[in-house]
Amino acid sequence: MTTPSVATDMTAPPVVIELKPSARPLPDAERTALMTDPGFGRHFTDHMVTVRWTEGRGWHDGQLVPFAPLTLSPAAMALHYAQTIFEGLKAYRQPDGALAVFRPERNARRFRESARRLAMPELPEETFVAALDALVAQDAVWVPEGRETSLYLRPFLFATETGLGIRPAREYLFMVIASPSGSYFPDGVRPLSVWISEDHVRAAPGDTGAAKCGGNYAASLVAQAQAAERGCDQVVWLDATERRWVEEMGGMNLYFVHGDRIVTPMLSGSLLPGITRHSLLRVAADLGHAAVESRVSVHDWRRDCAAGRVTEVFACGTAAVVTPVGSVRSVRGDWTVGDGRPGPLTMRLREALLDIQTGRAPDRHGWMHRITNSAPSPSAASSARTTQGADIV
């Protein structure tokens, strides 16, 4: 049969998101208490967006509704055959109080690519962005105001059709939920220790490594547990063929600093094409640093650290933005990166990207997608929500 991804009509107009906001949002005092220390992914805003897809009809029934549990059949195909993908991106409060999402069009494109790889229907990029706009505008008071804080957005898609036949499903549900996010490093940026896994691989060429699907993360947990057993914060993945070439760190991309030059492992089809990774290539160039994509071996990493040629290593991703790596452990020996502390170029790149995201530096590349018709910040209004009627976005 023809897979749903092929059948998706990408020329169809964006789905209208009908607003059905909660009549009983969380009281201001309770929300404020939660947001004093939100952590990451622990608390969720008042609303969520849902859009359905059915074979023969396509995308339909876009709604913004109160955040609530789902009713799902035990035979829903996502529970058995793992047709599920997701994205992660952030909304930031700007100095003028406005809200802006970092590079949502890029996430929308990667979401389509992930869906295609898993034989799922491809959500039009305009609908993806419209869903984010609707949720962030409605739950604007949940966006924190601190420089290191944000509203984390989680779009995801999964198969809802009931049945145990092994084939692409004929029904899917797209959703967006949001969670206020505190500083990844509340006590200051701390270098991570990493464990190089040689027993397991994250993905192989031709596999699903370039897709952001749930199965990739489930398969990574045993290696992450091994890293924790060895006193390390994160696991570093090697290539599946030679177990020689560095690929990723946990769910983040890696960068190696050679003096004034930075190198990141080139995309091989088994690496996730990180949006922060792509952005840092541009930011580094803007700051006058050479930034290249190339293969990096474990042998070269260890040798160049010992010789002082690799002076810093850092990982990057949506949650932490930029995270320094201070030490490495492996079955073949341990070593320290530089002096084990956050390096100057790592911190300069981190600050430069955060400045763009939070509106403290010019957005020369047009990365920040501003949200219109959003409620004022919590400090500007104690109650700023729409609780009556339906509207269209």
Side-chain angles (χ1 to χ4, degrees):
M1 89 178 246
T2 301
T3 64
S5 59
V6 174
T8 301
D9 181 6
M10 298 308 298
T11 64
V15 175
V16 170
I17 308 298
E18 184 181 5
L19 303 186
K20 298 181 177 181
S22 173
R24 300 180 62 185
L26 194 68
D28 292 339
E30 291 185 40
R31 186 190 66 250
T32 300
L34 290 179
M35 292 178 64
T36 57
D37 182 22
F40 181 79
R42 298 199 325 239
H43 308 291
F44 297 91
T45 67
D46 293 309
H47 299 92
M48 60 188 186
V49 172
T50 64
V51 185
R52 296 190 176 275
W53 187 93
T54 52
E55 189 174 63
R57 186 177 177 187
W59 296 101
H60 60 93
D61 289 345
Q63 297 184 348
L64 179 142
V65 295
F67 185 93
L70 301 176
T71 299
L72 197 64
S73 168
M77 293 176 72
L79 302 178
H80 301 272
Y81 307 124
Q83 271 193 302
T84 174
I85 60 173
F86 69 96
E87 277 295 329
L89 64 166
K90 289 180 175 180
Y92 296 86
R93 194 167 293 282
Q94 306 297 288
D96 63 358
L99 306 178
V101 180
F102 183 64
R103 305 194 73 178
E105 298 85 359
R106 191 89 182 184
N107 288 90
R109 187 188 317 167
R110 189 172 66 181
F111 197 70
R112 283 184 53 198
E113 293 166 353
S114 295
R116 189 180 311 133
R117 178 62 184 85
L118 270 72
M120 302 170 76
E122 296 176 37
L123 183 73
E125 294 172 18
E126 296 85 354
T127 300
F128 182 99
V129 175
L132 300 178
D133 286 353
L135 184 57
V136 175
Q138 183 65 45
D139 284 344
V141 291
W142 284 88
V143 183
E145 295 185 300
R147 170 175 166 75
E148 294 271 351
T149 64
S150 59
L151 182 68
Y152 180 79
L153 303 170
R154 172 53 64 90
F156 56 107
L157 174 68
F158 60 98
T160 55
E161 182 186 354
T162 298
L164 301 181
I166 303 179
R167 55 168 173 76
R170 298 188 178 100
E171 297 175 4
Y172 295 85
L173 180 63
F174 168 72
M175 300 186 66
V176 187
I177 57 176
S179 175
S181 177
S183 172
Y184 194 84
F185 297 106
D187 300 319
V189 177
R190 177 182 66 86
L192 302 182
S193 58
V194 299
W195 167 255
I196 295 179
S197 176
E198 296 190 24
D199 296 333
H200 304 280
V201 295
R202 178 183 175 276
D207 200 352
T208 58
K212 201 167 179 66
C213 59
N216 288 346
Y217 292 81
S220 75
L221 298 179
V222 64
Q224 179 59 46
Q226 288 179 341
E229 290 169 0
R230 289 160 175 80
C232 294
D233 300 300
Q234 277 285 356
V235 60
V236 169
W237 302 105
L238 303 181
D239 72 290
T241 305
E242 300 181 63
R243 308 291 176 92
R244 173 186 175 192
W245 303 103
V246 177
E247 296 215 318
E248 297 184 39
M249 186 192 86
M252 305 174 75
N253 296 113
L254 279 165
Y255 270 95
F256 299 81
V257 179
H258 296 253
D260 196 46
R261 173 173 165 268
I262 65 173
V263 178
T264 189
M266 62 193 305
L267 299 178
S268 62
S270 58
L271 273 74
L272 187 71
I275 292 159
T276 309
R277 170 191 181 275
H278 182 268
S279 303
L280 285 171
L281 287 170
R282 298 277 189 89
V283 171
D286 291 345
L287 296 177
H289 301 284
V292 300
E293 301 172 80
S294 179
R295 294 211 294 179
V296 178
S297 73
V298 174
H299 172 76
D300 290 346
W301 182 0
R302 182 175 184 177
R303 180 200 63 199
D304 290 348
C305 279
R309 288 188 291 269
V310 168
T311 54
E312 307 169 39
V313 176
F314 62 87
C316 61
T318 298
V321 185
V322 170
T323 306
V325 174
S327 60
V328 186
R329 301 194 67 187
S330 76
V331 295
R332 304 177 192 279
D334 307 340
W335 67 93
T336 301
V337 177
D339 61 5
R341 294 181 295 182
L345 183 50
T346 297
M347 297 306 293
R348 186 182 181 198
L349 289 168
R350 186 175 194 274
E351 292 301 307
L353 186 55
L354 270 173
D355 282 347
I356 295 170
Q357 292 171 331
T358 56
R360 290 166 174 81
D363 179 20
R364 296 189 177 93
H365 301 290
W367 287 341
M368 302 308 297
H369 173 80
R370 289 175 74 91
I371 304 295
T372 59
N373 301 322
S374 60
S377 67
S379 62
S382 61
S383 179
R385 296 177 182 274
T386 302
T387 57
Q388 74 276 0
D391 202 353
I392 298 297
V393 170

